[in-house]
Amino acid sequence: MSGGGATGGGAGGLPVAPRDDLALVEGYHSPQVDVEVRLNTNEAPLPPPAGFVEALADEVKRIAFNRYPDRSARDLRAALAELHGVKAEQIFAANGSNEVIQCLLLAFGGPGRSAAVFEPTYLLHTHIAKITGTQVHTGRRADDLSLDLAEFDRVNSAHRPAVTFICSPNNPTGRSESREVIEAVVGRAAGLVVVDEAYGQFARWSALPLVSDDGRVVVVRTFSKTWSMAANRLGYVVAPAGVVSVLEEVALPYHLDSVKQAAGRVALRFRAEMEARIAGVVEERGRIAARLSELDVQTWPSDANFILFRPLHQGPKEVWSGLVERSVLVRDCSGWPGLEGCLRVTVGTPEENGRFLSALTEVLA
Ligand code: PMP
């Protein structure tokens, strides 16, 4: 039995029923299959540079583990502020950009408020919104999977959402929006515009220059992709200082541990190495795209470290399994709204990409 009351026992022998609205929320998981080539979760293909691990070990030795961490992560924020040429008061960091998004929704969404998303897009925007009790209004992208401004206007004027999510480059389609489109959204949006740039470093432009203290743009970034630190769970937002102060209020005290703060600072010392790696991924992305264009699949242009493709004459599940049989794992996106028949491959090392391309060629033959 479920129900609005907090007492009386829940389904499955729970001592109390969970919130009714959680039933609307499905988890977001990519099956982890034991394969040699994992190209399903858009991580960096290489571990951080060796010097990073040594430098971090030195920092870790100096941490006072019996003390709570610096609650406002001053040094990390100062380093990120320097990286982006903004004020430290405009940076808020959390445990992965997912937690940043959760804090944004705790602060600006919640019961009685809504968020807008434009599908197909990153499913966690909807998922986290629902978990925080924020109503979600869903618009559709255009047929070429770009953001349709007329559709944005429709959703924005009908619902006046407190938060509008624009994922650019968009996961899982790979497209980034032009500056003109984002500026148009910002000029008309009813509330905060969250530009999720988890893949921003792979794109040709960034919305970061649109952030200002008197504006409505916030840009979310992560260390999970470019910085080879998915295991570390560190993300941040560049936002108006007033927005950052509110985020600090909804985050739990000492949410960012000392090791993570140190890891973020140390990573930023390896900017040149990371930029070289980004260039390598972009080059490999071009190689994969070129080969896909010769195969029996539809593809879309990508500004990210992954490519969406749709086999034209075979089912996505069949192709996904054929790849797994050849020890290559990609993401099956065919169940996502608007992505019937689609799979997504992350750009890996040149060797991994070669394995993927020859496995796919075989499966499609
Ligand atoms: N935003 C987008 C668009 C993503 O694809 C991801 C990772 N899949 C995230 C945010 C979350 O990244 P993390 O929590 O690892 O920083």
Side-chain angles (χ1 to χ4, degrees):
M1 190 183 80
S2 68
T7 56
L14 293 176
V16 61
R19 274 164 44 195
D20 283 345
D21 56 345
L22 287 186
L24 300 170
V25 176
E26 272 175 39
Y28 168 86
H29 305 289
S30 179
Q32 285 306 333
V33 184
D34 195 15
V35 289
E36 286 161 15
V37 180
R38 279 178 46 180
L39 302 176
N40 63 329
T41 40
N42 298 345
E43 293 135 318
L46 298 171
F52 164 84
V53 179
E54 279 163 33
L56 178 57
D58 282 345
E59 293 271 340
V60 169
K61 284 181 205 151
R62 288 203 288 275
I63 290 175
F65 276 96
N66 54 322
R67 300 293 180 195
Y68 283 110
D70 172 7
R71 184 167 173 171
S72 48
R74 277 166 298 188
D75 292 347
L76 173 63
R77 287 165 69 188
L80 285 165
E82 196 186 323
L83 174 73
H84 293 305
V86 298
K87 298 181 290 181
E89 299 75 41
Q90 294 177 308
I91 307 264
F92 169 81
N95 294 284
S97 51
N98 282 336
E99 194 185 46
V100 172
I101 292 165
Q102 185 185 51
C103 289
L104 282 163
L105 286 163
L106 285 171
F108 298 99
R113 293 183 169 217
S114 70
V117 301
F118 296 89
E119 284 182 346
T121 191
Y122 183 48
L123 293 178
L124 262 276
H125 295 155
T126 293
H127 181 76
I128 300 171
K130 287 182 175 172
I131 287 176
T132 59
T134 312
Q135 196 184 356
V136 178
H137 299 296
T138 305
R140 292 274 155 210
R141 285 173 177 263
D143 287 346
D144 67 356
L145 301 180
S146 63
L147 192 71
D148 177 353
L149 280 177
E151 177 72 344
F152 164 76
D153 283 338
R154 184 189 67 75
V155 173
N156 186 57
S157 40
H159 305 292
R160 315 297 297 160
V163 178
T164 294
F165 285 102
I166 306 290
C167 191
S168 179
N170 187 38
N171 178 12
T173 66
R175 269 198 88 116
S176 52
E177 304 307 333
S178 67
R179 187 180 174 123
E180 294 70 42
V181 166
I182 303 252
E183 281 177 342
V185 167
V186 172
R188 305 178 205 175
L192 213 56
V193 177
V194 177
V195 184
D196 185 339
E197 288 193 355
Y199 305 96
Q201 292 97 326
F202 302 103
R204 281 157 289 179
W205 82 284
S206 164
L208 281 165
L210 303 183
V211 177
S212 69
D213 277 349
D214 56 0
R216 58 179 66 239
V217 182
V218 312
V219 176
V220 176
R221 291 253 171 147
T222 178
F223 279 75
S224 295
K225 321 287 174 185
T226 320
W227 296 99
S228 292
M229 278 171 48
N232 214 75
R233 312 300 304 123
L234 179 60
Y236 60 98
V237 65
V238 183
V243 169
V244 168
S245 313
V246 182
L247 296 178
E248 282 169 338
E249 280 174 36
V250 296
L252 293 175
Y254 308 112
H255 68 296
L256 213 59
D257 70 75
S258 301
V259 177
K260 182 172 322 217
Q261 292 186 29
R265 278 190 290 106
V266 171
L268 298 181
R269 294 184 211 151
F270 292 84
R271 194 170 163 188
E273 285 86 339
M274 291 311 178
E275 276 168 7
R277 287 166 175 216
I278 294 167
V281 167
V282 169
E283 195 178 324
E284 280 295 298
R285 181 180 76 199
R287 179 167 81 97
I288 299 174
R291 177 66 186 133
L292 288 178
S293 72
E294 298 163 356
L295 295 175
D296 201 15
V297 297
Q298 179 183 5
T299 58
W300 288 265
S302 172
D303 274 332
N305 65 341
F306 53 82
I307 297 183
L308 186 74
F309 64 100
R310 175 188 279 145
L312 291 175
H313 297 107
Q314 286 180 44
K317 303 254 177 295
E318 191 189 336
V319 173
W320 184 86
S321 309
L323 292 172
V324 169
E325 276 160 29
R326 289 161 181 81
S327 215
V328 176
L329 183 61
V330 299
R331 190 74 185 261
D332 178 0
C333 302
S334 61
W336 297 20
L339 292 181
E340 293 71 25
C342 288
L343 301 168
R344 187 195 69 195
V345 62
T346 304
V347 178
T349 61
E351 197 207 339
E352 289 172 325
N353 302 331
R355 289 271 310 265
F356 160 69
L357 289 171
S358 35
L360 183 66
T361 307
E362 273 179 37
V363 173
L364 296 176

